[in-house]
Amino acid sequence: MTTKQTDDSTLLPTATPARTRAVVRELLCPQKGLAFAGFGLLVLATSVGLVTQPLLGHIVDLVTEHRAPKTLTWPVAALAGVAVAQGVLTALGMSLVSRLGETALARLRELFVERALALPLERVERAGSGDLNARVTRDVSRVADAVRGALPELARSALSIVLTLGALALLDWRFLLAALLAVPVQAHTARWYVRNAVPLYAGERIAAGAQQQQLLDTIGGARTVRAHRLQDGHTGQVTARSRAAVELTMRGVRLVLRFYARLHIAEYIGLAAVLVTGFLLVRSGSASVGTATAAALYFHSLFGPVNTALVLLDDAQSATAGLARLVGVVDEPAPAKAETADLPAPDPSVTLTGVSHAYLPGRPVLHGVDLEVRPKERVALVGTTGAGKTTLAKLVAGLHSPTAGRVDVGGAGPEAASRLVGLVTQEVHVFAGPLADDLRLARPDASDGELREALTAVDALGWAEALPEGLDTVVGEGGHRLTADRAQQLALARLVLADRPVVVLDEATAEAGSSGARLLDEAAERALRGRTALVVAHRLSQAAAADRIVVLSDGRVVESGTHPELLAAGGAYAALWHAWSGSRSPAEAGP
């Protein structure tokens, strides 16, 4: 079960505490043996360490009784043995607990990435990339830090507290009662801290996501911001959201300082009670000086684990807030997958029936579009900016679901789009790594010969083999940087390797300058050969070469026909063609 963020219903969901705990149990359940072994070793290590205080108390008794120096030999040797044994057992136990946490964290990351990649595009766009980016970076980092540091330390501290209190009771039950006087103050402090920290850290995560979203929006639209002289307004928005995030962080710092102050008060109360109890018991003859010393040392040794356990509440609350946000994404329902048996025969058609779509309620982008793309037909979508071309292309590719109407790919419904439709957009990402690996993203089992055939099909084999290490050359971030037109050729080569029967090109050759435009158009022509294709045309020369042209205006189909037919009709397409071709040379204008 998940709950939406109360301040912004468009954000990705955050899991409830109960659901978060359930997911943690599910992640840890397969590692029961590792958990028992790790915590068993920590129990043994802590138990061995508790022998230290009685040994020191025994040494005090030997000294106060003026025993011979040689009587100190075995207690000192025993202390050394205890130190070695405790160190070895603690190291082994902590390593197993750390392995337990890392294994669970790795599985959580896999689930998160798997579900995040499967999220519908409109869901991510509605939430904003800043929200998802904050979860991928800050929330994952907080949870990872807690797993690597807080979880093992918290486990060891909890065991130390329980076993030390038991050891105090074995010395004398009155020492235990004295030590427990600190518990009410510590419990009240813990409840007070959790009550204030949970909403504070949740708010901090939301503020961080909003800050990142504003930064991404401002940087991504930097050219437009400068062109319209909007720098001051965007700077003010970034400053306001950054200030909100900083204010929440400073509130957290003040909360932690008050938390520490209350813990010190509990320590003073408990230690004073144990010392007074020891004084009274020694004076009455009920305990020796060594026993009272051991009791005081036991309680003093609780300072570390108690403070660690309570202080780790800070990391725990921050990590819990991040974990709930990760689980919220993991719990997002996955889109339905098409069964192989339901897929249509080769050469499918694409049919849109009464398709409407709105990114925001009440603001439709498409209105009742009816369109059929016949098998192996190439249809070009043409229209002015904002006409709905890209939205229509995304609906056919299955990235969005229509608000109304239906999109059928070969009669198999929209769920088949992921298996049947290949998409190449204007924004192409070159993944970091060898060029061959980048190509094999489309077909992992492709041989080197098939990679070369795909590159040849888009006229890219020449420059690919001319790279320093050929197809093994590292490209992308930190490697050989590809130009915009070569990156598009790489995307088209992946399209050839994927061998999808339906292809959607969304201004896939728009990034090329005039010198590379014809080369990319020819590459796209070869990549589309024999396939059903829907092309969002950036240059009308692409539209002129298509089998049919569909003109969109304000989200509606206003014209449909071949290039000569639409020119002869003298409508919207003819006006666009004359305006476009009149501003270009004959070579650029094409047919």
Side-chain angles (χ1 to χ4, degrees), residues 57 61 110 209 212 590:
D61 284 337
E110 291 172 358
Q212 287 197 349

Side-chain angles (χ1 to χ4, degrees), residues 72-403:
L72 299 177
T73 302
W74 77 264
V76 172
L79 284 174
V82 166
V84 172
Q86 184 182 23
V88 172
L89 292 172
T90 300
L92 291 174
M94 293 286 280
S95 66
L96 293 180
V97 172
S98 296
R99 187 186 304 174
L100 172 67
E102 289 291 348
T103 303
L105 177 62
R107 180 56 183 155
L108 176 63
R109 281 174 165 164
E110 291 172 358
L111 291 172
F112 177 83
V113 171
E114 178 183 347
R115 194 54 50 85
L117 292 177
L119 285 174
L121 183 60
E122 66 264 24
R123 185 70 186 91
V124 177
E125 290 179 344
R126 191 164 65 248
S129 56
D131 182 38
L132 186 59
N133 188 47
R135 298 182 192 227
V136 171
T137 54
R138 295 193 181 187
D139 292 331
V140 169
S141 178
R142 291 291 178 91
V143 174
D145 290 343
V147 166
R148 291 166 186 153
L151 176 62
E153 286 297 330
L154 187 59
R156 188 173 65 167
S157 298
L159 290 173
S160 296
I161 293 169
V162 172
L163 295 178
T164 301
L165 291 176
L168 272 173
L170 289 176
L171 289 178
D172 193 296
W173 61 271
R174 287 164 287 193
F175 285 125
L176 177 61
L177 290 180
L180 291 178
L181 289 177
V183 172
V185 179
Q186 292 168 334
H188 179 269
T189 300
R191 286 197 301 271
W192 167 82
Y193 179 75
V194 170
R195 185 173 61 251
N196 289 277
V198 170
L200 178 61
Y201 284 120
E204 186 182 355
R205 298 280 75 75
I206 293 173
Q211 179 192 28
Q212 287 197 349
Q213 180 63 48
Q214 186 60 54
L215 285 171
L216 290 173
D217 290 345
T218 300
I219 294 172
R223 293 182 180 178
T224 303
V225 169
R226 287 196 296 267
H228 293 278
R229 305 293 191 272
L230 300 175
Q231 294 96 323
D232 291 343
H234 276 261
T235 300
Q237 291 175 352
V238 171
T239 301
R241 297 201 173 186
S242 298
R243 184 179 293 113
V246 171
E247 287 176 354
L248 286 171
T249 300
M250 293 309 299
R251 282 177 56 190
V253 171
R254 290 191 293 270
L255 184 67
V256 170
L257 291 176
R258 293 170 63 188
F259 176 65
Y260 280 127
R262 297 189 181 197
L263 287 184
H264 293 326
I265 294 174
E267 291 173 356
Y268 297 149
I269 292 173
L271 184 57
V274 170
L275 290 174
V276 170
T277 301
F279 170 76
L280 295 175
L281 292 177
V282 170
R283 188 175 67 174
S284 66
S286 300
S288 66
V289 174
T291 302
T293 301
L297 290 174
Y298 270 138
F299 187 81
H300 188 272
S301 69
L302 284 174
F303 285 9
V306 168
N307 287 348
T308 297
L310 294 178
V311 167
L312 285 177
L313 286 173
D314 181 61
D315 293 336
Q317 294 307 316
S318 179
T320 299
L323 181 61
R325 284 160 54 83
L326 297 180
V327 174
V329 174
V330 169
D331 278 352
E332 277 283 88
K337 294 184 178 180
E339 296 294 335
T340 304
D342 296 333
L343 294 181
D347 306 331
S349 61
V350 176
T351 305
L352 286 78
T353 307
V355 169
S356 298
H357 187 71
Y359 294 103
L360 297 174
R363 298 176 63 180
V365 179
L366 295 176
H367 308 267
V369 173
D370 294 314
L371 175 65
E372 181 180 0
V373 183
R374 295 182 292 274
K376 295 188 178 182
E377 182 184 25
R378 187 177 311 173
V379 172
L381 291 179
V382 172
T384 58
T385 301
K389 306 184 297 297
T390 294
T391 299
L392 186 59
K394 289 180 177 179
L395 291 176
V396 173
L399 298 183
H400 290 315
S401 298
T403 306

Side-chain angles (χ1 to χ4, degrees), residues 3 8 42 68 84 237 251 267 284 348 366 459 473 515 531 564 588:
T3 55
D8 191 346
L42 288 180
V84 172
Q237 291 175 352
R251 282 177 56 190
E267 291 173 356
S284 66
L366 295 176
D459 199 22
T473 302
S515 60
R531 309 179 199 275
E588 290 180 302

Side-chain angles (χ1 to χ4, degrees), residues 352 355 357 359 365-367 369 371 379-397 400 423 425-426 504-508 510 534-540 542-543 549-558 573 576:
L352 286 78
V355 169
H357 187 71
Y359 294 103
V365 179
L366 295 176
H367 308 267
V369 173
L371 175 65
V379 172
L381 291 179
V382 172
T384 58
T385 301
K389 306 184 297 297
T390 294
T391 299
L392 186 59
K394 289 180 177 179
L395 291 176
V396 173
H400 290 315
L423 172 68
T425 66
Q426 181 178 351
V504 175
L505 298 187
D506 184 6
E507 299 187 352
L534 188 67
V535 180
V536 177
H538 174 71
R539 291 181 297 277
L540 293 188
Q542 297 171 302
I549 301 168
V550 172
V551 183
L552 291 178
S553 179
D554 294 326
R556 295 178 173 86
V557 175
V558 295
Y573 176 77
L576 287 173

Side-chain angles (χ1 to χ4, degrees), residues 11-88:
L11 292 179
L12 292 169
T14 297
T16 62
R19 177 56 186 159
T20 303
R21 290 191 295 269
V23 169
V24 171
R25 288 194 296 270
E26 292 170 7
L27 293 173
L28 296 178
C29 189
Q31 307 296 325
K32 287 181 180 179
L34 187 60
F36 284 131
F39 285 104
L41 285 173
L42 288 180
V43 169
L44 186 58
T46 304
S47 301
V48 171
L50 291 176
V51 179
T52 301
Q53 288 83 353
L55 286 174
L56 291 173
H58 180 64
I59 291 174
V60 170
D61 284 337
L62 292 177
V63 173
T64 56
E65 294 171 4
H66 304 289
R67 299 290 185 89
K70 64 180 181 180
T71 58
L72 299 177
T73 302
W74 77 264
V76 172
L79 284 174
V82 166
V84 172
Q86 184 182 23
V88 172

